[in-house]
Amino acid sequence: MAQVLEFKLPDLGEGLTEAEIVRWLVEVGDVVAIDQPVVEVETAKAMVEVPCPYGGVVTARFGEEGSELPVGAPLLTVAVGATEAPASPAPSTSSASGASSAGAPAAEESSAGSGNVLVGYGTGAPAARRRRIRPERVGTPAAPAPVVEPEPVPVAVPAATGEVNGQQGPVAVVSPLVRRLARQHEIDLRRLTGSGPDGLILRADVDSAIREAEEAARAQTRTAAAEPAVAEAPTAVAAAPAAAERIPLRGVRGAVADKLSRSRSEIPDATCWVDADATELMAARAAMNAASGPSGGPKVSVLALLARICTAALARYPELNSTVDTAAREIVRLPGVHLGFAAQTERGLVVPVVRDAHTRNAESIGAEIARLTELARTGKLSPAQLIGGTFTLNNYGVFGVDGSTPIINHPEAAMLGVGRIMPKPWVHNGELAVRQVVQLSLTFDHRVCDGGTAGGFLRYVADCVEQPAVLLRTL
């Protein structure tokens, strides 16, 4: 006998409490294998595919694309051991019936599952190709089979009840997006007749009702304007103010908002900055990238060189590679440098972390930055690649700006900001010349050090930018 199992949104780790459904990878009636990805979700840190620990037939899905679910909420139900889809599959957000029975070996194999699911872990069973199980066509009557009473499953989206076209009953709306659209435009769903299957109210029905309401409002306005004015002087009718757009703070945008707000409220930060002549650094980079033969190698970016300068500066000023334990009232100096760098993506601002940057040279750091940047661009960064940073490098010069006062990436103690490198007039060797100039800014937690330490760090970074040979002391 088939057993209907409920798969709940698992704990994806790193303190995440909710996720947004981006795309369903299966439909009701599909056959899934153990550890086959069934849904793509977006958390506050990354976009991941969630594998199902059960193998069988999908009998119900909970949640529409674009909706948020808390950890532990039902995602879908699977009929384990079923050989065919339920006779009357329910919609994706409604409860599902149990499936027909199957052989004991198949049931035992499918019900084994993979236990608690964490992204990137599982039993490693190969994923079967997805296929839709369709009910058999009506033909010669078969021998009657024992009827299995359906086991009720909680409904994900409760249906509102009220008078529907003069009768009491549930409002035939499944999509929460349709309900939200109707609320925004004050459309009474109980007075609509759905054009979908079994009278289901679709978005097209709500859009049509909105257009009719707008046309009725315009007609009423024209009628009122045609009537003779009662007052001696006509009174101008004030135009209704446009409704403000409300954008939910969730996903990456919500995580950024929470972290920056916490940083501003907890960290007493200060910023110092300096202009530096980067002409020699740019020349050194050009020489590195032009080398061929045994001394040649992958191209080295300016960001990689600046990252290497940061690790050398943190070795001299370890106070800035620390964090503050507010509960214990202690400054915790960290033994290694895990260097984060700010990356702007279509999903928003993310900060991938280069692990053990203090043990890497400029070439190794550049290769890791390139790898993480590509993962960020494609939305494939894992949560583990976005946490654990001890110091952040922020290159806002790519946006064409010279300076900034960045907000510290909590719970770190400092962030170095780098503006654009551009030709400017500069006094060099006692003469006015056009040089490649960059503005550097350091925002630091004033609890971990004073201005002398912060100024010393920034000055050392500027000296390395102006005279890259200074780095030879630490290589």
Side-chain angles (χ1 to χ4, degrees):
M1 180 179 297
Q3 181 183 8
V4 177
L5 300 179
E6 183 179 73
F7 174 43
K8 299 179 179 180
L9 178 64
D11 181 1
L12 301 176
E14 315 303 341
L16 301 176
T17 60
E18 60 187 11
E20 178 182 348
I21 297 177
V22 176
R23 182 167 60 98
W24 281 104
L25 305 178
V26 296
E27 301 285 344
V28 174
D30 286 352
V31 174
V32 295
I34 294 175
D35 286 342
Q36 176 182 334
V38 294
V39 65
E40 189 177 68
V41 300
E42 181 181 24
T43 69
K45 297 182 181 291
M47 189 178 299
V48 294
E49 292 182 349
V50 180
C52 180
Y54 312 124
V57 179
V58 177
T59 58
R61 298 185 321 191
F62 300 96
E64 297 289 334
E65 294 180 356
S67 62
E68 283 191 346
L69 292 179
V71 171
L75 265 180
L76 49 78
T77 54
V78 177
V80 175
T83 57
E84 60 181 17
S88 300
S92 61
T93 54
S94 64
S95 59
S97 303
S100 60
S101 61
E108 290 175 2
E109 179 181 358
S110 299
S111 61
S114 64
N116 295 328
V117 174
L118 291 177
V119 174
Y121 296 84
T123 62
R129 293 186 58 186
R130 200 178 81 189
R131 61 189 179 88
R132 177 68 61 84
I133 299 298
R134 301 186 182 277
E136 299 179 358
R137 296 184 178 181
V138 178
T140 304
V147 178
V148 180
E149 287 295 327
E151 186 174 332
V153 178
V155 177
V157 181
T161 58
E163 185 174 349
V164 184
N165 297 328
Q167 298 180 356
Q168 293 290 334
V171 177
V173 180
V174 172
S175 172
L177 299 178
V178 174
R179 294 180 182 274
R180 184 188 310 166
L181 184 65
R183 286 197 303 268
Q184 290 174 347
H185 293 83
E186 299 181 354
I187 300 298
D188 189 355
L189 293 173
R190 291 185 295 270
R191 300 190 179 278
L192 298 184
T193 301
S195 60
D198 299 326
L200 184 68
I201 298 177
L202 306 178
R203 178 167 183 168
D205 302 324
V206 177
D207 289 338
S208 177
I210 293 173
R211 288 193 297 270
E212 292 176 2
E214 291 174 348
E215 291 174 0
R218 286 194 294 268
Q220 185 177 2
T221 302
R222 288 193 297 267
T223 302
E227 295 177 358
V230 179
E232 294 180 0
T235 303
V237 178
E245 181 182 7
R246 292 181 174 268
I247 303 174
L249 275 175
R250 63 188 185 189
V252 172
R253 186 75 261 158
V256 170
D258 293 340
K259 174 161 281 194
L260 296 184
S261 298
R262 185 176 181 183
S263 178
R264 272 288 187 237
S265 63
E266 291 187 11
I267 299 178
D269 59 347
T271 302
C272 54
W273 56 89
V274 66
D275 289 340
D277 181 2
T279 305
E280 296 300 326
L281 180 69
M282 300 302 289
R285 173 178 176 263
M288 292 179 191
N289 293 337
S292 59
S295 59
K299 303 295 184 182
V300 178
S301 66
V302 175
L303 188 62
L305 294 175
L306 291 170
R308 180 64 185 89
I309 292 173
C310 284
T311 59
L314 290 172
R316 284 176 170 255
Y317 299 93
E319 297 92 336
L320 294 171
N321 192 57
S322 61
T323 187
V324 176
D325 187 342
T326 55
R329 294 185 59 83
E330 294 176 343
I331 297 174
V332 182
R333 290 190 183 176
L334 304 170
V337 178
H338 303 308
L339 186 68
F341 63 95
Q344 191 69 36
T345 69
E346 293 181 356
R347 298 176 60 236
L349 178 67
V350 295
V351 184
V353 178
V354 177
R355 303 288 172 188
D356 300 316
H358 61 290
T359 65
R360 300 172 180 260
N361 56 27
E363 186 176 294
S364 174
I365 292 176
E368 184 66 2
I369 288 177
R371 186 182 73 87
L372 294 173
T373 300
E374 178 61 21
L375 291 176
R377 186 187 66 81
T378 57
K380 295 180 180 179
L381 281 171
S382 67
Q385 293 170 318
L386 295 168
I387 64 170
T390 63
F391 185 90
T392 296
L393 177 60
N394 188 357
N395 180 21
Y396 43 74
V398 296
F399 303 117
V401 297
D402 296 327
S404 175
T405 55
I407 300 176
I408 295 174
N409 187 20
H410 184 280
E412 298 170 12
M415 175 185 291
L416 179 70
V418 182
R420 60 179 176 172
I421 301 175
M422 61 180 303
K424 289 183 179 181
W426 190 267
V427 177
H428 178 67
N429 294 332
E431 296 182 354
L432 188 63
V434 177
R435 307 286 285 180
Q436 300 292 322
V437 180
V438 63
Q439 184 178 103
L440 306 171
S441 61
L442 176 71
T443 299
F444 64 99
D445 187 342
H446 226 313
R447 296 173 297 178
V448 304
C449 69
D450 296 325
T453 300
F457 175 93
L458 187 59
R459 187 64 258 172
Y460 178 81
V461 171
D463 290 345
C464 290
V465 169
E466 294 181 340
Q467 302 176 26
V470 173
L471 271 178
L472 292 176
R473 293 177 177 270
T474 59
L475 293 180

